[in-house]
Amino acid sequence: MLNKIEPLHKLLRLWGIVIAGNIVGGCLFAALMIGLGLHMHLFTDHAIDAYAEYILGFEWWVIFGSAVLAGWMMGVAAWLVTSARDTLSRIVLVSIITGSIGFLGLHHSIVGNIEVFSALLYGNTVSLWHYLIFLVVVLVGNTVGGVVFVAVLKNRTFLFEIERVKEQAAEARAEVDRRRF
Protein backbone atom coordinates (compact mmCIF):
# COMPACT_ATOMS: atom_id res chain seq x y z
CA MET A 1 0.00 0.00 0.00
CA LEU A 2 2.82 2.44 0.86
CA ASN A 3 4.48 1.63 -2.47
CA LYS A 4 1.14 2.13 -4.25
CA ILE A 5 0.98 -1.49 -5.38
CA GLU A 6 -2.27 -2.21 -3.52
CA PRO A 7 -5.01 0.23 -2.45
CA LEU A 8 -5.64 1.21 1.18
CA HIS A 9 -9.04 -0.51 1.29
CA LYS A 10 -7.42 -3.92 0.65
CA LEU A 11 -4.98 -3.36 3.51
CA LEU A 12 -7.76 -2.28 5.86
CA ARG A 13 -9.87 -5.29 4.82
CA LEU A 14 -6.98 -7.66 5.54
CA TRP A 15 -6.25 -6.01 8.89
CA GLY A 16 -9.93 -6.11 9.78
CA ILE A 17 -10.15 -9.83 9.07
CA VAL A 18 -6.95 -10.61 11.01
CA ILE A 19 -7.85 -8.44 14.01
CA ALA A 20 -11.46 -9.66 14.13
CA GLY A 21 -10.28 -13.27 13.92
CA ASN A 22 -7.76 -12.75 16.71
CA ILE A 23 -10.28 -10.98 18.94
CA VAL A 24 -13.00 -13.57 18.37
CA GLY A 25 -10.49 -16.38 18.88
CA GLY A 26 -9.27 -14.73 22.09
CA CYS A 27 -12.83 -14.34 23.34
CA LEU A 28 -13.58 -18.01 22.63
CA PHE A 29 -10.35 -19.02 24.38
CA ALA A 30 -11.27 -16.88 27.39
CA ALA A 31 -14.79 -18.24 27.53
CA LEU A 32 -13.66 -21.86 27.36
CA MET A 33 -10.38 -21.93 29.25
CA ILE A 34 -11.15 -19.41 31.98
CA GLY A 35 -14.59 -20.94 32.46
CA LEU A 36 -13.01 -24.38 32.74
CA GLY A 37 -10.37 -23.04 35.18
CA LEU A 38 -13.11 -21.55 37.36
CA HIS A 39 -15.02 -24.84 37.45
CA MET A 40 -11.81 -26.71 38.28
CA HIS A 41 -11.18 -24.23 41.13
CA LEU A 42 -7.80 -23.21 39.70
CA PHE A 43 -8.63 -19.58 40.52
CA THR A 44 -11.59 -17.50 41.60
CA ASP A 45 -13.64 -14.74 40.05
CA HIS A 46 -11.98 -12.40 42.58
CA ALA A 47 -8.57 -13.30 41.12
CA ILE A 48 -9.86 -12.55 37.61
CA ASP A 49 -11.19 -9.19 38.81
CA ALA A 50 -7.91 -8.36 40.56
CA TYR A 51 -5.92 -9.09 37.43
CA ALA A 52 -8.27 -7.09 35.21
CA GLU A 53 -8.21 -4.18 37.67
CA TYR A 54 -4.42 -4.20 37.46
CA ILE A 55 -4.50 -4.12 33.64
CA LEU A 56 -7.18 -1.43 33.52
CA GLY A 57 -5.84 0.51 36.50
CA PHE A 58 -3.67 2.87 34.47
CA GLU A 59 -4.57 6.19 32.91
CA TRP A 60 -5.65 5.83 29.27
CA TRP A 61 -2.49 7.53 28.01
CA VAL A 62 -0.28 5.06 29.91
CA ILE A 63 -2.20 2.15 28.38
CA PHE A 64 -1.90 3.83 24.97
CA GLY A 65 1.85 4.40 25.37
CA SER A 66 2.34 0.85 26.57
CA ALA A 67 0.34 -0.40 23.57
CA VAL A 68 2.46 1.71 21.20
CA LEU A 69 5.61 0.10 22.61
CA ALA A 70 4.08 -3.39 22.37
CA GLY A 71 2.99 -2.70 18.78
CA TRP A 72 6.46 -1.48 17.91
CA MET A 73 8.01 -4.62 19.42
CA MET A 74 5.60 -6.88 17.51
CA GLY A 75 6.35 -4.97 14.31
CA VAL A 76 10.06 -5.42 14.91
CA ALA A 77 9.42 -9.11 15.57
CA ALA A 78 7.62 -9.47 12.23
CA TRP A 79 10.43 -7.61 10.50
CA LEU A 80 13.16 -9.73 12.11
CA VAL A 81 11.35 -13.03 11.57
CA THR A 82 11.14 -12.34 7.83
CA SER A 83 14.88 -11.65 7.87
CA ALA A 84 15.79 -14.82 9.79
CA ARG A 85 16.86 -17.76 7.68
CA ASP A 86 16.10 -20.77 9.82
CA THR A 87 13.24 -21.91 12.03
CA LEU A 88 15.23 -21.94 15.27
CA SER A 89 16.23 -18.29 14.79
CA ARG A 90 12.60 -17.37 14.20
CA ILE A 91 11.45 -19.22 17.32
CA VAL A 92 14.13 -17.53 19.43
CA LEU A 93 13.29 -14.06 18.09
CA VAL A 94 9.56 -14.48 18.65
CA SER A 95 10.14 -15.91 22.13
CA ILE A 96 12.45 -13.09 23.18
CA ILE A 97 10.24 -10.30 21.87
CA THR A 98 6.85 -11.65 22.96
CA GLY A 99 8.35 -12.75 26.27
CA SER A 100 9.64 -9.20 26.78
CA ILE A 101 6.19 -7.77 26.10
CA GLY A 102 4.73 -10.10 28.74
CA PHE A 103 7.56 -9.60 31.23
CA LEU A 104 7.28 -5.82 30.95
CA GLY A 105 3.49 -6.00 31.33
CA LEU A 106 2.89 -4.05 28.13
CA HIS A 107 -0.64 -3.78 26.79
CA HIS A 108 -1.34 -5.79 23.65
CA SER A 109 -4.68 -5.97 21.91
CA ILE A 110 -4.81 -9.74 21.59
CA VAL A 111 -3.52 -10.86 24.99
CA GLY A 112 -5.15 -7.90 26.73
CA ASN A 113 -8.41 -8.79 25.02
CA ILE A 114 -8.30 -12.25 26.62
CA GLU A 115 -7.44 -10.86 30.04
CA VAL A 116 -10.10 -8.14 30.12
CA PHE A 117 -12.76 -10.18 28.31
CA SER A 118 -12.31 -12.91 30.94
CA ALA A 119 -13.19 -10.39 33.62
CA LEU A 120 -16.15 -9.17 31.58
CA LEU A 121 -17.50 -12.72 31.35
CA TYR A 122 -16.59 -14.17 34.73
CA GLY A 123 -15.69 -11.25 36.97
CA ASN A 124 -17.71 -8.60 38.73
CA THR A 125 -15.87 -5.34 38.01
CA VAL A 126 -15.47 -4.95 34.23
CA SER A 127 -18.36 -3.52 32.23
CA LEU A 128 -18.85 -3.86 28.48
CA TRP A 129 -18.05 -0.15 28.17
CA HIS A 130 -14.69 -0.53 30.00
CA TYR A 131 -13.84 -3.55 27.86
CA LEU A 132 -14.63 -1.74 24.59
CA ILE A 133 -12.72 1.42 25.58
CA PHE A 134 -9.72 -0.68 26.57
CA LEU A 135 -9.86 -2.60 23.29
CA VAL A 136 -10.02 0.57 21.19
CA VAL A 137 -7.14 2.24 23.07
CA VAL A 138 -4.83 -0.79 22.74
CA LEU A 139 -5.79 -1.43 19.11
CA VAL A 140 -4.98 2.15 18.18
CA GLY A 141 -1.77 2.07 20.25
CA ASN A 142 -0.62 -1.21 18.74
CA THR A 143 -1.40 0.13 15.28
CA VAL A 144 0.58 3.32 15.86
CA GLY A 145 3.52 1.34 17.21
CA GLY A 146 3.47 -1.31 14.53
CA VAL A 147 2.61 0.82 11.53
CA VAL A 148 4.19 4.19 12.14
CA PHE A 149 7.38 3.13 13.84
CA VAL A 150 8.09 -0.01 11.85
CA ALA A 151 6.21 -0.26 8.56
CA VAL A 152 6.59 3.37 7.57
CA LEU A 153 10.23 3.59 8.67
CA LYS A 154 11.04 0.27 7.01
CA ASN A 155 9.20 1.36 3.89
CA ARG A 156 11.10 4.66 3.79
CA THR A 157 14.39 2.76 4.07
CA PHE A 158 13.25 0.36 1.33
CA LEU A 159 12.21 3.25 -0.92
CA PHE A 160 15.61 4.87 -0.41
CA GLU A 161 17.18 1.61 -1.57
CA ILE A 162 14.87 1.48 -4.61
CA GLU A 163 15.78 5.06 -5.53
CA ARG A 164 19.48 4.28 -5.15
CA VAL A 165 19.14 1.19 -7.36
CA LYS A 166 17.22 3.24 -9.95
CA GLU A 167 19.96 5.88 -9.93
CA GLN A 168 22.66 3.24 -10.34
CA ALA A 169 20.76 1.63 -13.21
CA ALA A 170 20.33 5.02 -14.93
CA GLU A 171 24.02 5.75 -14.52
CA ALA A 172 24.91 2.33 -15.94
CA ARG A 173 22.60 2.89 -18.94
CA ALA A 174 24.11 6.32 -19.50
CA GLU A 175 27.60 4.81 -19.41
CA VAL A 176 26.61 2.14 -21.92
CA ASP A 177 25.08 4.81 -24.17
CA ARG A 178 28.28 6.91 -23.96
CA ARG A 179 30.40 3.90 -24.93
CA ARG A 180 28.20 3.20 -27.97
CA PHE A 181 28.66 6.66 -29.39
Side-chain angles (χ1 to χ4, degrees):
M1 194 275 314
L2 293 173
N3 294 325
K4 300 188 183 356
I5 296 170
E6 294 290 345
L8 176 62
H9 72 86
K10 282 189 175 182
L11 174 67
L12 295 176
R13 181 175 167 256
L14 175 63
W15 279 358
I17 291 168
V18 170
I19 290 169
N22 275 291
I23 290 172
V24 168
C27 290
L28 290 172
F29 178 83
L32 297 173
M33 298 308 289
I34 302 302
L36 184 62
L38 279 170
H39 288 355
M40 294 176 66
H41 305 291
L42 298 176
F43 42 81
T44 65
D45 58 341
H46 299 296
I48 295 170
D49 282 333
Y51 194 67
E53 286 174 24
Y54 172 75
I55 293 166
L56 297 171
F58 299 96
E59 297 287 333
W60 73 268
W61 57 271
V62 174
I63 294 172
F64 179 79
S66 171
V68 168
L69 184 55
W72 174 76
M73 290 176 74
M74 288 304 292
V76 168
W79 189 3
L80 290 174
V81 164
T82 59
S83 301
R85 292 183 179 241
D86 58 77
T87 303
L88 183 59
S89 298
R90 291 176 179 170
I91 291 169
V92 169
L93 285 169
V94 169
S95 297
I96 289 171
I97 293 173
T98 57
S100 296
I101 291 170
F103 179 76
L104 294 171
L106 300 176
H107 293 84
H108 193 270
S109 56
I110 306 309
V111 174
N113 169 56
I114 294 168
E115 296 163 339
V116 178
F117 188 75
S118 297
L120 175 66
L121 283 182
Y122 299 112
N124 303 307
T125 60
V126 175
S127 68
L128 179 61
W129 179 249
H130 285 114
Y131 167 72
L132 292 175
I133 293 293
F134 170 80
L135 195 57
V136 167
V137 170
V138 294
L139 280 170
V140 172
N142 288 166
T143 301
V144 168
V147 172
V148 173
F149 291 140
V150 177
V152 172
L153 293 176
K154 180 181 176 186
N155 183 64
R156 290 291 122 201
T157 303
F158 183 66
L159 287 180
F160 174 74
E161 290 296 319
I162 289 174
E163 292 303 318
R164 191 169 56 112
V165 168
K166 285 180 183 178
E167 288 172 7
Q168 289 172 348
E171 289 172 5
R173 278 193 300 272
E175 182 65 29
V176 168
D177 289 343
R178 274 191 298 249
R179 288 183 185 169
R180 282 190 203 164
F181 300 109

